[in-house]
Amino acid sequence: MDPTVNQSGEFNAKTTRMSKRGSKLLRYALINAAWNVSLNNKTFNDYFMLKKSQGNNHYAALGHVAHKLVRVIFKILKDNVAFNLD
């Protein structure tokens, strides 16, 4: 869930695509989960809207939400706590 880097010398591209490393099925599942959680959870919806307001398109914003979802899932599993929807 990381963007590719497109740069040469002092040039840095303003728009990049998502890296295609790793499992495409896992990426697909995470993007779908990110869309559903952004529809049903206020915290993730606020984050999605923040990324949209910063000029990201729909799928770029979903990529950010998916990355946040991965961080939340990791923290839940690491600390063995229950997910609270509020």
Side-chain angles (χ1 to χ4, degrees):
M1 302 301 308
D2 59 336
T4 58
V5 176
N6 188 6
Q7 64 184 16
S8 175
E10 293 185 15
F11 170 78
N12 285 321
K14 293 183 192 260
T15 59
T16 58
R17 296 176 182 241
M18 185 183 301
S19 170
K20 300 302 180 203
R21 294 183 299 173
S23 169
K24 63 183 173 181
L25 291 175
L26 181 59
R27 264 194 316 275
Y28 177 79
L30 285 171
I31 292 295
N32 280 331
W35 176 237
N36 282 312
V37 78
S38 69
L39 290 176
N40 297 311
N41 185 291
K42 183 176 178 352
T43 303
F44 285 97
N45 188 19
D46 291 344
Y47 189 67
F48 176 76
M49 290 301 171
L50 172 71
K51 291 302 175 182
K52 290 280 286 186
S53 70
Q54 290 175 347
N56 289 320
N57 64 29
H58 176 77
Y59 285 105
L62 275 182
H64 285 283
V65 173
H67 194 204
K68 180 176 180 139
L69 183 62
V70 168
R71 292 190 309 263
V72 168
I73 291 170
F74 178 76
K75 185 68 173 173
I76 287 171
L77 293 175
K78 181 181 170 194
D79 294 346
N80 197 21
V81 296
F83 179 66
N84 186 0
L85 281 176
D86 297 328

